[in-house]
Amino acid sequence: MSVNLSGRSFLKLLDFTPEEIEYLLDLSAELKRKKHAGEPHRYLEGKNIVLLFEKTSTRTRCSFEVGGHDLGMNVTYLDPGSSQMGKKESIEDTARVLGRMFDGIEYRGFAQERVETLAKYAGVPVWNGLTTEFHPTQMIADILTMREEFGRDLHGRKLTFMGDARNNVANSLMVVCAKLGIDFCACGPKENMPEKGLVATCEKIAAETGAHLAFTSDVAEGAKDASVIYTDIWVSMGEPDELWGKRIELMRPYQVNEKMFEVAAPDAIFMHCLPSFHDRKTTIGEKIFEKYGLPELEVTNDVFEGPRSRVFDEAENRMHTIKAVMYATLKDPE
Ligand code: CP
Ligand code: NVA
C-alpha cells in the first residue's frame, strides 16, 4: 500500500510506521537532489504556514522558512515573546485561530502535551519543532545523513548517544532507531538514562524490527563498534542554568573525544544536532570556562572539526527533511 501522509500532523515518531518514516527519507533525498540541481519545486504555491517558537532556534526556524519558500509558501514567524499563546490565550483557542488562517503550524516549546493540544484543536497539520520530550524533525535529518554515509540499509549499525541520554534528542534517537531496526545505545550516567515507560515502548517496537537497545554507563562498552557516536549539549533549553555545575560533574566522562573512536567501528562518524559547546567562542561557553575551567564540553574541538564529523551535513539536511515533512503533510491526497 502506498504511503499517504496528507493532512497528518508530525508530533512524534512513535505515531509513524517504519514505512512512513522511510517514505519521508526517500522524499527528503529527492527534494535535496532537486534543490542541488536547481529544479524548481513550488508544489505548495500560495499556501500559508506559521512558525510558533517559544524557545530560540537557528536551524529549525531557517529550515521551515527556506523549505517553505522553496515550496512556494508564505511563512509567518512568531517569536518567543510575541504571541498571546499561554499568557492571554489558551493553547486551544490559539490553535483554533491559527487553524482558520494557516494551512500548517510549526511549534517549538515546552511540554509535548502542548504540541499535541495544538494539533487536536487546529484542524490543520501541526509539526513539532522540538519539545522537552522529543525532537522528531531532527531525526529525519540524522537518518538521512547516516544513509548518505553508510547506504540505505542501516540494519545492524550501532548508534551510540553519549551524555544526557534522557533529553529530547536522545529520546527521539531511541525511537527512530527502534522503528528502523538500527541498534541504539544510551551511554551516560545512570541518573540520565531514558525514562522507563519510553524504553518499554521502544523495546516492543525493537522486538519487531530487530533493533537492539542497550543502556550503559561504561564509555568503552558504549563506544565499542559504534558506527555513529552522537552527542548533544548537557543542559537543554528550558532547564535552569544552575544545573550546569552538577551536569558537568556527571557528564564529563562522556565528553566525546578521539579515544572513543579507537574502539568504535573503523568507518565511524561523529554526529551532533547542534548548537555545540566545542570551543569558547560563545558567551555561555566562555562563562562556563571562567567558572569551571573547561574550554570544550560535550565534544572536544578535535572531534568536532575532525574528518569524522558530519555535523554540517546534518544541519543542511534539516532543511531538506523539514521540507519533505511539510510537503508530505500539506499536499493533496493522491
Ligand atoms: N538542532 C536544532 O534544532 O537546532 P536549532 O535549535 O538551532 O533549531
Ligand atoms: N537538547 C537540546 C537540543 C537542541 C536542538 C535542547 O533541547 O536544547
Side-chain angles (χ1 to χ4, degrees):
M1 210 177 76
S2 69
V3 170
N4 174 15
L5 300 180
S6 301
R8 290 267 298 274
S9 284
F10 189 77
L11 306 177
K12 58 186 182 302
L13 289 168
L14 288 170
D15 301 338
F16 291 82
T17 64
E19 292 70 28
E20 287 169 341
I21 298 170
E22 300 276 3
Y23 166 83
L24 287 172
L25 287 160
D26 291 340
L27 183 59
S28 302
E30 176 58 10
L31 289 170
K32 182 172 182 176
R33 190 198 60 73
K34 282 188 197 288
K35 175 83 177 180
H36 285 194
E39 286 175 30
H41 41 281
R42 297 174 68 83
Y43 305 137
L44 300 176
E45 189 86 53
K47 289 199 187 278
N48 296 288
I49 60 168
V50 62
L51 316 181
L52 198 48
F53 279 79
E54 295 193 306
K55 290 175 177 168
T56 51
S57 169
T58 298
R59 278 145 290 272
T60 309
R61 174 186 173 178
C62 295
S63 296
F64 274 99
E65 292 220 19
V66 174
H69 292 145
D70 282 355
L71 289 167
M73 297 195 285
N74 306 304
V75 183
T76 299
Y77 172 70
L78 294 176
D79 74 29
S82 72
S83 86
Q84 312 282 25
M85 191 172 95
K87 298 178 287 284
K88 285 167 71 180
E89 192 159 42
S90 67
I91 299 175
E92 289 86 338
D93 291 356
T94 306
R96 286 177 286 184
V97 171
L98 296 179
R100 297 283 182 110
M101 298 183 191
F102 294 97
D103 299 291
I105 303 170
E106 182 273 357
Y107 171 84
R108 164 172 286 199
F110 297 91
Q112 179 71 17
E113 207 188 336
R114 290 166 80 82
V115 77
E116 303 270 351
T117 304
L118 258 179
K120 187 169 166 201
Y121 288 90
V124 297
V126 172
W127 309 297
N128 178 358
L130 179 146
T131 57
T132 304
E133 292 91 334
F134 295 115
H135 194 7
T137 60
Q138 178 73 48
M139 297 308 115
I140 309 296
D142 293 344
I143 303 297
L144 180 64
T145 310
M146 284 179 69
R147 273 187 175 195
E148 289 170 348
E149 188 70 29
F150 303 118
R152 216 169 172 280
D153 183 10
L154 297 170
H155 284 89
R157 293 268 172 192
K158 173 181 171 185
L159 182 152
T160 295
F161 182 91
M162 290 280 175
D164 182 14
R166 67 167 174 205
N167 76 11
N168 40 21
V169 170
N171 284 342
S172 298
L173 283 169
M174 179 167 68
V175 174
V176 81
C177 287
K179 288 266 177 184
L180 299 183
I182 301 166
D183 293 347
F184 172 80
C185 176
C187 185
K190 276 198 228 47
E191 294 88 327
N192 291 66
M193 283 293 154
E195 186 253 319
K196 284 201 174 71
L198 183 61
V199 171
T201 304
C202 289
E203 292 281 16
K204 264 195 212 143
I205 298 166
E208 282 173 26
T209 64
H212 180 251
L213 309 183
F215 306 89
T216 181
S217 296
D218 184 295
V219 170
E221 191 185 321
K224 192 170 171 2
D225 300 329
S227 291
V228 176
I229 297 184
Y230 196 122
T231 193
D232 184 12
I233 51 171
W234 290 339
V235 175
S236 286
M237 290 184 280
E239 293 191 306
D241 284 348
E242 296 73 58
L243 268 181
W244 271 111
K246 172 108 185 11
R247 283 284 165 82
I248 285 174
E249 201 181 300
L250 276 173
M251 300 292 167
R252 231 174 144 158
Y254 304 96
Q255 177 190 62
V256 176
N257 56 36
E258 289 291 353
K259 204 168 169 345
M260 287 181 187
F261 286 94
E262 288 171 14
V263 293
D267 58 352
I269 57 170
F270 169 68
M271 294 178 69
H272 191 314
C273 56
L274 305 183
S276 166
F277 294 120
H278 61 97
D279 58 22
R280 288 168 52 196
K281 295 179 188 168
T282 62
T283 49
I284 296 179
E286 187 57 14
K287 265 194 206 144
I288 288 172
F289 175 73
E290 282 164 13
K291 198 159 174 194
Y292 304 99
L294 286 181
E296 42 197 18
L297 297 180
E298 73 278 1
V299 56
T300 61
N301 199 48
D302 278 5
V303 169
F304 187 93
E305 298 290 358
R308 294 182 185 275
S309 180
R310 296 292 178 274
V311 297
F312 297 108
D313 299 309
E314 271 180 280
E316 179 192 332
N317 285 340
R318 296 298 308 288
M319 198 282 284
H320 305 298
T321 50
I322 279 175
K323 191 189 284 179
V325 169
M326 290 193 289
Y327 177 49
T329 53
L330 290 185
K331 75 188 178 87
D332 294 331
E334 272 144 28

